[in-house]
Amino acid sequence: MTEAVIPRLALTAGEPAGIGPDLLLALDPSPFAAELVILGDRTSFIERATALGLPFDWPDYDPKRPAQAGRCVLLSMPTAATVRPGHLDVRNAPQVLALLDRAADGCRAGEFAALVTAPVHKGIINDAGIAFSGHTEYLAERVGGHPVMMLTAGSLRVALATTHLPLAAVPAAITPAVLHRVLDTLHTELGQWLKKPRPRILVAGLNPHAGESGHLGREELDCIGPALEQARARGIEAIGPLPADTLFTPRHLAGADAVLAMYHDQGLPVLKYAGFGQAVNVTLGLPIIRTSVDHGTALDLAATGRAEGGSLIEAIHTALDRVQQASTP
């Protein structure tokens, strides 16, 4: 019998002044069939653990040592400035991205089986003079691929045709090429994940009532509809464009494997209402496996003991599930 290989998951701490460190410190690693490699600043973790009254006993990460399931180890990368919970500091923005770089590179090299990210604060990274629109886009630049952002809550899966854009920029960003790429990625990766040859994808229109035959906008007639016809001709079960205000009703969702929304705030409010705090952000279309929490840095909760770690736990479970599925024929 060949001994099973224990995977290592990289968990980045995210914004050090936010709740990412709290969630990681409160995490019980014992239920996970993986070694959890935490990337963050050791001094900050010790100070946060003291503030929260939590033990801190993570040994240093040693890549030469065999992985041990059900434990946390620390890959320490120091911050430039002392971390004050709840208080952002532009001097620490480069460290946040350095954590991502190290974890993503490790995943790309096969050192880590997957990446799980705690929340970052986009504003402070941009204030530091570093153009940053989000984890999804940043990781794609680092490791390649064509990312598709999808959130899951139970059996509900919502993917996005566009991600972090101003609303006024969305119509121009929805093109046949974008829809083809997103639908191809959803079809392929959902099929592999769910072991279904033709996952059923419901596609929202952009305009109210899906354009109402052109009276409320022509994007459905000129772009979305034709793109879906071409996708169906390629064997993709893409249904729509459907009015977004009724798409999320039980009648429509019955039997659906995913919903494709046209923009961030069309699909995610519904999903987060259905499962906030337990939902998971999954990035498809990358050469690495990446999941994340469904919430932000919650600066007001940092070091208070009131942060809830349900989404992080689900993100780890989802990452491990994807690792297992990827290794199963």
Side-chain angles (χ1 to χ4, degrees):
M1 295 288 290
T2 302
E3 186 175 350
V5 176
I6 302 298
R8 285 187 165 109
L9 303 190
L11 278 65
T12 53
E15 168 52 50
I19 63 170
D22 302 47
L23 301 180
L24 293 167
L25 286 164
L27 183 65
D28 176 9
S30 62
F32 302 108
E35 184 172 83
L36 308 183
V37 181
I38 313 296
L39 286 82
D41 173 44
R42 175 174 287 278
T43 299
S44 299
F45 273 123
I46 292 173
E47 292 174 350
R48 189 69 59 89
T50 300
L52 292 168
L54 294 173
F56 181 80
D57 56 0
W58 300 338
D60 287 329
Y61 168 57
D62 181 357
K64 296 179 181 179
R65 184 184 184 281
Q68 180 179 324
R71 75 166 187 163
C72 291
V73 296
L74 178 64
L75 199 170
S76 184
M77 300 177 66
T79 58
T82 300
V83 175
R84 297 171 58 211
H87 298 273
L88 299 169
D89 192 322
V90 294
R91 294 173 293 178
N92 290 333
Q95 186 256 10
V96 172
L97 298 184
L99 300 180
L100 285 177
D101 292 345
R102 175 65 179 86
D105 292 348
C107 288
R108 198 77 170 101
E111 178 184 7
F112 306 127
L115 167 60
V116 180
T117 57
V120 298
H121 194 285
K122 300 181 186 68
I124 198 65
I125 296 173
N126 282 280
D127 288 345
I130 306 167
F132 184 85
S133 59
H135 271 121
T136 304
E137 299 84 358
Y138 184 85
L139 289 170
E141 291 184 8
R142 186 76 184 184
V143 302
H146 300 285
V148 173
M149 183 176 175
M150 182 177 77
L151 270 76
T152 69
S155 62
L156 180 60
R157 304 176 187 90
V158 179
L160 302 178
T162 63
T163 53
H164 300 111
L165 291 177
L167 190 57
V170 168
I174 298 172
T175 65
V178 165
L179 293 176
H180 291 322
R181 175 181 61 78
V182 171
L183 286 166
D184 286 346
T185 299
L186 275 176
H187 173 76
T188 300
E189 294 212 22
L190 279 177
Q192 293 171 348
W193 189 1
L194 303 177
K195 304 301 181 186
K196 296 182 69 171
R198 291 191 67 191
R200 190 166 184 261
I201 304 167
L202 307 186
V203 182
L206 172 66
N207 297 295
H209 303 172
E212 207 163 87
S213 301
H215 296 289
L216 293 176
R218 293 197 54 85
E219 285 83 1
E220 288 77 11
L221 296 176
D222 296 340
C223 176
I224 302 172
L228 297 189
E229 289 182 11
Q230 294 168 9
R232 289 189 285 267
R234 299 196 306 275
I236 297 174
E237 191 170 352
I239 301 157
L242 301 170
D245 63 342
T246 55
L247 184 157
F248 290 98
T249 57
R251 180 175 68 86
H252 278 103
L253 290 177
D257 294 302
V259 171
L260 176 58
M262 290 297 107
Y263 57 94
H264 188 281
D265 282 12
Q266 182 185 58
L268 297 195
V270 179
L271 183 132
K272 292 190 177 185
Y273 176 78
F276 189 72
Q278 303 293 324
V280 178
N281 185 344
V282 180
T283 307
L284 307 178
L286 296 179
I288 66 173
I289 294 171
R290 180 257 173 166
T291 65
S292 186
V293 296
D294 69 342
H295 55 74
T297 53
L299 296 169
D300 59 318
L301 297 180
T304 67
R306 301 201 310 272
E308 297 183 1
S311 182
L312 176 63
I313 293 169
E314 289 301 317
I316 297 171
H317 281 304
T318 301
L320 281 172
D321 183 52
R322 295 208 69 205
V323 169
Q324 181 180 12
Q325 292 295 336
S327 62
T328 304

Coordinates of all heavy atoms in Angstrom, one line a residue, residues 19 60-61 76 101 107 185 212 225 238 249 254 256 270 291:
I19 N -9.7 41.2 10.5 CA -10.0 40.0 11.3 C -9.4 38.8 10.7 O -9.6 37.7 11.3 CB -11.6 39.8 11.3 CG1 -12.2 39.6 9.9 CG2 -12.2 41.0 12.0 CD1 -13.6 39.2 9.9
D60 N 7.4 27.0 13.2 CA 7.8 27.5 11.9 C 7.6 26.5 10.8 O 7.9 25.2 11.0 CB 9.3 27.9 11.9 CG 9.5 29.2 12.7 OD1 8.6 30.1 12.7 OD2 10.6 29.3 13.3
Y61 N 7.2 26.9 9.6 CA 7.1 26.0 8.5 C 8.4 25.6 8.0 O 9.3 26.4 7.7 CB 6.3 26.8 7.4 CG 6.3 26.1 6.0 CD1 5.8 24.8 5.9 CD2 6.8 26.8 4.9 CE1 5.8 24.2 4.6 CE2 6.8 26.2 3.7 CZ 6.3 24.9 3.5 OH 6.3 24.3 2.3
S76 N 6.4 32.8 8.4 CA 6.4 34.2 8.9 C 7.0 35.2 7.9 O 8.1 34.9 7.4 CB 7.1 34.3 10.2 OG 7.0 35.7 10.7
D101 N 1.9 36.6 -3.1 CA 3.0 36.2 -4.1 C 3.6 34.9 -3.7 O 3.7 33.9 -4.5 CB 4.0 37.3 -4.2 CG 3.5 38.5 -4.9 OD1 2.4 38.5 -5.5 OD2 4.2 39.6 -4.8
C107 N 1.9 27.4 -4.8 CA 0.9 26.6 -5.4 C 1.3 26.3 -6.8 O 1.1 25.1 -7.3 CB -0.5 27.4 -5.4 SG -1.3 27.5 -3.8
T185 N -15.3 28.2 -19.2 CA -14.7 27.9 -17.9 C -15.7 27.3 -17.0 O -15.4 26.3 -16.3 CB -14.0 29.2 -17.3 OG1 -13.0 29.7 -18.2 CG2 -13.4 28.9 -16.0
E212 N -36.6 43.3 -22.0 CA -37.9 43.4 -22.5 C -38.0 43.6 -24.0 O -38.5 44.6 -24.5 CB -38.7 44.5 -21.8 CG -40.2 44.2 -21.7 CD -40.9 45.1 -20.6 OE1 -41.3 46.2 -20.9 OE2 -41.0 44.6 -19.5
G225 N -27.7 37.2 -25.9 CA -28.5 36.1 -26.5 C -27.7 35.4 -27.6 O -27.6 34.1 -27.6
A238 N -26.5 26.4 -21.5 CA -26.6 27.8 -21.0 C -28.0 28.3 -21.3 O -28.4 28.4 -22.4 CB -25.6 28.7 -21.7
T249 N -35.6 32.5 -8.1 CA -36.7 31.9 -7.4 C -36.6 30.4 -7.4 O -35.9 29.8 -8.3 CB -38.1 32.3 -8.1 OG1 -38.0 31.9 -9.4 CG2 -38.3 33.8 -7.9
A254 N -34.3 25.2 -9.5 CA -34.5 23.7 -9.4 C -33.7 23.1 -10.5 O -34.0 23.3 -11.7 CB -35.9 23.3 -9.4
A256 N -30.6 23.6 -11.4 CA -29.5 24.4 -11.9 C -28.3 24.1 -11.1 O -28.3 23.9 -9.9 CB -29.9 25.9 -11.8
V270 N -27.9 38.4 -3.5 CA -28.8 37.2 -3.3 C -28.1 36.1 -2.6 O -28.5 35.5 -1.6 CB -29.4 36.7 -4.6 CG1 -30.3 35.5 -4.4 CG2 -30.1 37.8 -5.3
T291 N -9.6 29.5 -2.9 CA -10.9 29.8 -2.3 C -10.6 30.9 -1.4 O -9.5 31.2 -1.0 CB -11.5 28.6 -1.6 OG1 -10.7 28.2 -0.5 CG2 -11.7 27.4 -2.5

